[in-house]
């Protein structure tokens, strides 16, 4: 099986902004784009993206999960890095056209069609280190995928880092490439030195998120996760999981969580931890690594509540349960 996100459908949806207006979107070959070597994005990282999925239902129909939330977040990211304003209606139409054209490429469950809208500054202006790009390109790639963490019933090893941050605090709500790139050296070091799968950033002991997903702690009937603020990404999957947990009668605690409390609670026999995200869905964490010592989370195996919440989410996404929240858009 090919690695997640390395196979693409033959076309992508594309539109450009010339400083005054957006072009009419079109479907073009997905294997290349044309930008000037002096493009703003190549020098000043003026880019953001989204990740969402299309699902095939048992009756053969195609549905996109929470597209409206991803579109809103992309418009927000674009504003926060001073890119031209995204036409949200245009972006929605581009997504629907692309998925409609390649609906037959949506894999059967548990596979999905992963969608990657990308927005970047394209003005050829290397003197604009302190000014935004007036021109931009918006395109959407589609990639048939399986599970992001293809680990079966195993759990992740996650290193707790109290020294650094995933990104600058004022950039946390932006889903931008520079934020992911800034965390890579820390993740690479954690893999080499501790055989960690991911890094949980907890600056000054304040548990935030990993390099590529939100973090959730489950202790008995309580779900604990950091309250939304500007320092970390507001995950669509995170919000969906919390909604489902609340529906199940669980206590939702969106608040600060210290490393000390995390390690104390994770030692409880019924404790669970998980990473949430569009790609990760809800992936169990079995070990937390802190100051060179392994701390087992609960039993160290996938927790029953994590499995239950993931199944409840997947059942809605794949059309095995009623879409009682209006999360799906039929293509």
């Amino acid at each position: 099986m090919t690695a997640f996100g390395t196979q693409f459908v033959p076309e992508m949806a594309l539109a450009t902004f010339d400083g005054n207006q957006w072009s009419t979107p079109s479907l073009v070959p997905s294997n290349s784009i044309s930008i000037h070597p002096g493009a703003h994005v190549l020098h000043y990282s003026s880019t953001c993206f989204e990740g969402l999925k299309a699902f095939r239902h048992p009756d053969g129909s195609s549905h996109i999960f929470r597209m409206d939330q991803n579109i809103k977040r992309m418009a927000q990211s674009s504003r926060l890095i001073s890119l031209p304003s995204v036409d949200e209606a245009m972006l929605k139409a581009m997504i629907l056209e692309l998925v409609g054209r390649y609906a037959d490429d949506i894999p059967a469950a548990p596979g999905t069609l992963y969608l990657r809208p990308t927005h970047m500054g394209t003005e050829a202006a290397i003197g604009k280190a302190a000014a935004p790009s007036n021109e931009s390109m918006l395109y959407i790639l589609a990639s048939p995928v399986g599970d992001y963490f293809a680990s079966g019933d195993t759990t992740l090893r996650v290193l707790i880092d109290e020294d650094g941050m995933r990104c600058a605090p004022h950039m946390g709500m932006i889903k931008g490439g520079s934020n992911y790139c800034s965390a890579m050296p820390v993740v690479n070091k954690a893999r080499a030195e501790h055989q960690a799968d991911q890094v949980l950033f907890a600056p000054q002991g304040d548990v935030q998120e990993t390099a590529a997903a939100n973090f959730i702690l489950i202790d008995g009937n309580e779900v604990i996760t950091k309250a939304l603020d500007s320092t970390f990404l507001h995950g669509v999957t995170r919000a969906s999981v919390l909604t489902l947990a609340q529906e199940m009668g669980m206590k939702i605690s969106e608040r600060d969580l210290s490393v000390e409390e995390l390690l104390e609670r994770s030692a409880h026999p019924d404790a669970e931890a998980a990473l949430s995200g569009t790609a990760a869905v809800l992936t169990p964490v079995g070990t937390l690594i802190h100051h060179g010592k392994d701390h087992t989370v609960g039993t160290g195996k996938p927790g029953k509540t994590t499995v239950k919440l993931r199944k409840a989410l997947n059942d809605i996404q794949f059309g095995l349960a009623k879409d009682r929240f209006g999360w799906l858009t039929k293509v």
Side-chain angles (χ1 to χ4, degrees):
M1 181 179 292
T2 58
F4 187 101
T6 58
Q7 178 183 346
F8 303 96
V9 301
E11 293 179 304
M12 62 181 176
L14 183 143
T16 57
F17 188 79
D18 64 5
N20 295 300
Q21 62 184 4
W22 283 98
S23 67
T24 301
S26 61
L27 293 181
V28 300
S30 61
N31 62 350
S32 68
I33 55 174
S34 178
I35 59 173
H36 192 281
H40 198 273
V41 62
L42 300 178
H43 301 268
Y44 307 117
S45 299
S46 52
T47 180
C48 59
F49 65 91
E50 272 301 322
L52 64 161
K53 288 177 177 177
F55 299 79
R56 182 182 300 283
H57 284 195
D59 64 1
S61 61
S62 306
H63 300 257
I64 303 172
F65 184 70
R66 305 207 74 173
M67 175 174 59
D68 58 334
Q69 295 302 306
N70 289 99
I71 289 173
K72 287 179 181 177
R73 192 170 63 180
M74 184 157 210
Q76 173 182 269
S77 292
S78 296
R79 286 194 302 270
L80 291 175
I81 58 174
S82 301
L83 280 172
S85 295
V86 170
D87 182 328
E88 296 185 31
M90 180 188 75
L91 177 54
K92 179 179 180 179
M94 291 169 69
I95 294 171
L96 290 173
E97 181 182 14
L98 182 64
V99 176
R101 176 72 168 266
Y102 291 97
D104 290 343
D105 287 79
I106 302 175
T112 60
L113 187 67
Y114 184 82
L115 305 170
R116 174 55 63 89
T118 303
H119 189 200
M120 60 185 184
T122 54
E123 183 179 359
I126 58 174
K128 280 195 161 186
S133 173
N134 291 323
E135 301 170 8
S136 68
M137 177 182 293
L138 175 64
Y139 62 86
I140 305 163
L141 291 168
S143 175
V145 298
D147 283 342
Y148 184 65
F149 290 109
S151 54
D153 291 332
T154 62
T155 55
L156 301 181
R157 289 172 52 82
V158 174
L159 175 72
I160 299 173
D161 186 325
E162 297 182 72
D163 298 321
M165 293 188 71
R166 175 178 179 262
C167 61
H170 69 285
M171 297 285 283
M173 292 193 301
I174 301 164
K175 193 170 179 68
S178 58
N179 286 351
Y180 289 78
C181 191
S182 69
M184 283 183 187
V186 183
V187 176
N188 289 340
K189 183 179 179 182
R191 285 180 181 140
E193 296 182 359
H194 302 280
Q195 296 73 56
D197 298 293
Q198 259 296 351
V199 172
L200 176 59
F201 290 95
Q204 288 75 56
D206 175 35
V207 175
Q208 294 187 336
E209 62 181 336
T210 68
N214 292 138
F215 178 81
I216 293 174
L217 174 68
I218 301 170
D219 188 6
N221 195 51
E222 184 179 11
V223 178
I224 306 169
T225 188
K226 185 172 177 62
L228 297 178
D229 64 25
S230 64
T231 65
F232 73 106
L233 195 65
H234 300 181
V236 176
T237 303
R238 170 193 178 278
S240 305
V241 167
L242 294 184
T243 297
L244 291 170
Q246 187 171 41
E247 183 187 54
M248 293 174 183
M250 300 187 72
K251 177 184 177 183
I252 309 300
S253 297
E254 294 186 79
R255 60 172 176 80
D256 289 344
L257 175 66
S258 67
V259 170
E260 182 181 10
E261 181 184 1
L262 169 60
L263 294 177
E264 178 185 340
R265 283 180 174 259
S266 66
H268 296 170
D270 58 353
E272 305 174 33
L275 306 186
S276 70
T278 299
V281 187
L282 196 60
T283 303
V285 175
T287 304
L288 294 169
I289 309 161
H290 186 243
H291 291 166
K293 180 182 177 182
D294 285 6
H295 297 261
T296 301
V297 180
T299 64
K301 299 178 180 179
K304 61 180 182 180
T305 302
T306 300
V307 173
K308 182 179 179 182
L309 285 168
R310 179 178 173 127
K311 184 178 186 303
L313 180 61
N314 280 161
D315 281 353
I316 293 174
Q317 293 172 326
F318 285 106
L320 303 177
K322 183 180 179 182
D323 178 21
R324 51 199 180 276
F325 305 106
W327 286 344
L328 298 174
T329 299
K330 187 174 182 179
V331 179

